[in-house]
């Protein structure tokens, strides 16, 4: 295979000029939108760096494509390739609700220990939003990705395992759980909370952000979500960050000193309504896995369309970049799907690779397309302009990059 592996040294990405990057097309609309994103990345890299840099794409088969060839959504040899090259631009994958194999997305996140799910949500002028001042929405969600109820430790109602656990809880702690219950376990650890908090604070410092808000339901789930809050504050107050951070409790109404990052916390249900009523008050939101999942889509809705968002799943030794939406099966193969979410994912990937000039080119040209109303039908239905197909949208972005 042409190209070289990206390496990692103490959490730093060491990126050669011709890195090998994995891609998986995904299911449903996946192939159309991921091929769109890759061709736009190639155009932007070529424009930004000429022949001195080039991505060597290498496909891994995951999802339907793998199932039809190997009878398994993520075969062993594909997994080995993932573990070797560790950076993946991934199209959306189908996940069966209430049964079937474990979510492939979760499997990839766990395998590469991609503990930070980072989703920037910033309004793009020209998109119809359900709120009055969408211009004030500029948030980044940091969702812990490897802990919490998502670890998949759960047993079905009526199973022998659920019965055994009920019996253990009853005999050891006098806790009674109704016999017709499914049971899930929610672990939240100090180590995983501390590393996601470090990632959020380092991001805040590097990107000169205003605040980090810890979202939790610690008033009810004291030793999991309450502990998340406590451990996150512990890191913010530690010598590692003390110089950069001011706690809300220390401000007592006065203005935030310039150059400092405000750290505060909000109970999850309050947080859900606050980002709608006062979006300008929130900047980086740090949340455990389940809260982070919910708030990510809610924040996306504020800017009118979750189809345009991408997310980075990163750890100290790898990254997976994907659109925030799913496979939208009813649009598959129809040249209708909006590829902006997947393009955003690719832009984030370039940023993590340190190829920021190419990332910026993509961002500018996608935003210009929206302002000029060169958009796919999901956005065009609100702007009243004729929609572009996925391919034409892509070709016109490439054209505008090439002629810059
Ligand atoms: P979805 O695929 O995100 O689609 C929901 C709706 O969102 C679509 O019907 C469509 O709305 C709109 N939409 C989403 N992406 C779009 C795009 N690129 N262009 C235009 N419209 C878009 O959510 P879902 O139907 O709940 O999930 C379908 C499958 O995707 C499930 O198997 C789910 O598990 C999977 N999924 C995968 C991921 C992932 O791989 N990371 C994430 C989420 C869901 P309208 O009908 O209003 O036009």
């Amino acid at each position: 295979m042409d190209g070289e592996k990206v390496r990692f040294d103490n959490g730093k990405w060491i990126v050669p000029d011709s890195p090998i990057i994995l891609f998986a097309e995904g299911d449903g609309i996946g192939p159309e939108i991921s091929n769109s994103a890759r061709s736009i990345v190639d155009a932007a890299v070529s424009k930004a760096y000429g022949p001195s840099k080039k991505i060597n794409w290498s496909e891994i088969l995951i999802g339907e494509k793998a199932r039809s060839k190997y009878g398994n959504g993520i075969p062993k040899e594909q997994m080995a390739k993932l573990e070797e090259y560790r950076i993946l631009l991934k199209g959306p994958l189908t996940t069966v609700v209430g049964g079937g194999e474990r979510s492939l997305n979760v499997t990839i996140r766990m395998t590469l220990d991609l503990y930070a799910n980072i989703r920037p949500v910033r309004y793009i002028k020209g998109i119809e939003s359900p709120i009055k001042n969408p211009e004030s929405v500029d948030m980044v969600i940091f969702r812990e990705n490897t802990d919490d109820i998502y670890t998949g430790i759960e047993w079905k109602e009526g199973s022998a395992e659920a019965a055994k656990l009920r019996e253990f809880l009853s005999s050891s702690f006098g806790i009674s759980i109704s016999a017709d219950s499914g049971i899930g376990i929610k672990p939240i650890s100090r180590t995983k909370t501390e590393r996601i908090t470090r990632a959020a604070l380092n991001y805040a410092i590097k990107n000169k952000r205003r605040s980090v808000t810890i979202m939790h339901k610690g008033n009810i789930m004291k030793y999991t979500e309450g502990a998340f809050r406590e451990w996150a504050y512990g890191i913010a107050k530690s010598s590692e960050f003390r110089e950069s951070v001011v706690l809300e409790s220390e401000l007592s109404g006065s203005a935030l000193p310039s150059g400092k990052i405000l750290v505060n916390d909000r109970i999850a249900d309050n947080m859900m309504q606050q980002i709608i009523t006062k979006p300008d008050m929130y900047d980086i939101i740090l949340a455990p896995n389940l809260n982070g999942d919910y708030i990510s889509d809610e924040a996306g809705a504020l800017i009118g369309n979750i189809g345009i968002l991408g997310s980075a799943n990163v750890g100290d030794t790898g990254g997976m970049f994907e659109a925030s939406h799913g496979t939208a099966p009813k649009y598959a193969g129809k040249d209708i799907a909006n590829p902006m979410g997947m393009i955003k994912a690719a832009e984030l990937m370039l940023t993590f690779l340190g190829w920021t000039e190419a990332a910026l080119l993509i961002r500018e040209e996608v935003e210009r397309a929206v302002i000029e109303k060169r958009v796919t039908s999901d956005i065009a239905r609100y702007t009243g302009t004729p929609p572009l197909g996925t391919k034409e949208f892509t070709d016109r972005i490439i054209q505008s990059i090439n002629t810059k």
Side-chain angles (χ1 to χ4, degrees):
M1 197 183 309
D2 286 343
E4 287 172 70
K5 263 196 253 182
V6 173
R7 291 182 297 112
F8 303 91
D9 183 18
N10 259 333
K12 287 214 167 61
W13 295 33
I14 300 164
V15 182
D17 286 336
S18 54
I20 296 168
I21 304 286
L22 302 176
F23 75 95
E25 286 189 333
D27 305 330
I29 58 171
E32 294 160 85
I33 60 170
S34 47
N35 291 328
S36 156
R38 281 192 305 120
S39 55
I40 288 173
V41 166
D42 289 340
V45 168
S46 163
K47 183 73 185 181
Y49 311 111
S52 67
K53 288 189 197 292
K54 182 178 182 293
I55 289 180
N56 292 277
W57 299 103
S58 178
E59 183 170 15
I60 59 167
L61 301 185
I62 307 177
E64 288 305 333
K65 235 174 158 176
R67 236 171 259 124
S68 62
K69 191 163 176 188
Y70 301 102
N72 177 353
I74 185 156
K76 254 198 200 135
E77 60 272 32
Q78 304 295 312
M79 199 59 151
K81 191 168 172 183
L82 180 68
E83 288 184 80
E84 180 166 5
Y85 293 101
R86 310 192 74 82
I87 299 181
L88 170 66
L89 181 66
K90 184 193 73 66
L93 296 168
T94 306
T95 307
V96 179
V97 177
E101 66 189 0
R102 186 178 189 199
S103 157
L104 299 174
N105 295 311
V106 174
T107 305
I108 297 168
R109 286 174 197 158
M110 292 298 197
T111 305
L112 296 183
D113 195 21
L114 306 176
Y115 61 83
N117 181 294
I118 306 168
R119 187 186 292 190
V121 183
R122 196 171 64 89
Y123 179 65
I124 301 180
K125 205 165 173 259
I127 291 188
E128 187 83 6
S129 156
I131 60 168
K132 277 190 196 142
N133 299 311
E135 296 79 11
S136 60
V137 177
D138 182 2
M139 302 174 198
V140 185
I141 318 294
F142 268 72
R143 164 185 169 195
E144 204 293 321
N145 232 357
T146 56
D147 225 350
D148 203 349
I149 200 81
Y150 278 60
T151 41
I153 311 167
E154 56 176 8
W155 294 278
K156 202 173 170 180
E157 175 258 330
S159 66
E161 293 86 349
K164 200 168 173 184
L165 194 56
R166 280 192 296 107
E167 159 55 25
F168 169 74
L169 291 172
S170 168
S171 59
S172 304
F173 301 112
I175 292 168
S176 159
I177 292 182
S178 136
D180 59 354
S181 305
I183 304 178
I185 304 252
K186 178 182 175 79
I188 291 202
S189 67
R190 181 192 286 269
T191 311
K192 290 179 174 178
T193 303
E194 289 184 348
R195 68 181 182 175
I196 185 76
T197 306
R198 273 197 191 91
L201 287 169
N202 280 325
Y203 181 97
I205 294 167
K206 189 168 172 205
N207 294 283
K208 300 190 170 40
R209 304 294 301 209
R210 289 176 291 135
S211 66
V212 175
T213 302
I214 307 159
M215 174 187 184
H216 61 89
K217 191 71 187 167
N219 52 333
I220 307 295
M221 292 172 268
K222 296 180 193 301
Y223 305 122
T224 49
E225 304 237 345
F228 183 89
R229 171 185 177 276
E230 190 186 314
W231 293 325
Y233 271 127
I235 289 296
K237 289 191 286 188
S238 70
S239 56
E240 201 178 338
F241 294 104
R242 192 59 273 203
E243 288 283 286
S244 313
V245 154
V246 175
L247 306 186
E248 195 167 62
S249 56
E250 295 165 343
L251 271 183
S252 56
S254 50
L256 181 70
S258 119
K260 300 278 184 183
I261 293 154
L262 174 69
V263 175
N264 55 13
D265 74 281
R266 297 286 180 270
I267 291 177
D269 34 352
N270 181 28
M271 181 91 252
M272 298 296 278
Q273 62 90 10
Q274 291 259 318
I275 67 162
I276 297 175
T277 54
K278 301 177 196 158
D280 53 314
M281 301 277 291
Y282 296 97
D283 186 14
I284 290 179
I285 298 173
L286 168 64
N289 212 337
L290 181 62
N291 292 338
D293 197 0
Y294 293 152
I295 196 102
S296 294
D297 271 26
E298 192 199 9
L302 297 180
I303 62 161
N305 189 325
I306 74 154
I308 65 177
L309 294 173
S311 62
N313 298 272
V314 292
D316 293 332
T317 60
M320 187 240 303
F321 301 84
E322 60 183 346
S324 301
H325 60 75
T327 60
K330 70 177 177 185
Y331 295 139
K334 294 188 175 156
D335 193 32
I336 288 176
N338 186 352
M340 279 170 70
M342 202 63 215
I343 297 168
K344 188 75 199 171
E347 181 202 314
L348 283 167
M349 185 188 81
L350 289 170
T351 306
F352 271 89
L353 292 173
W355 294 11
T356 47
E357 296 80 2
L360 189 64
L361 263 178
I362 293 177
R363 177 166 155 178
E364 285 173 356
E365 290 316 308
V366 169
E367 291 191 3
R368 190 199 309 274
V370 175
I371 290 166
E372 292 176 0
K373 300 186 169 45
R374 288 182 275 118
V375 287
T376 47
S377 63
D378 54 319
I379 300 176
R381 64 187 161 198
Y382 301 109
T383 56
T385 45
L388 301 184
T390 315
K391 178 137 190 5
E392 193 178 356
F393 176 86
T394 308
D395 290 347
R396 290 178 71 170
I397 299 269
I398 293 174
Q399 204 177 26
S400 59
I401 289 173
N402 288 342
T403 52
K404 251 185 114 106

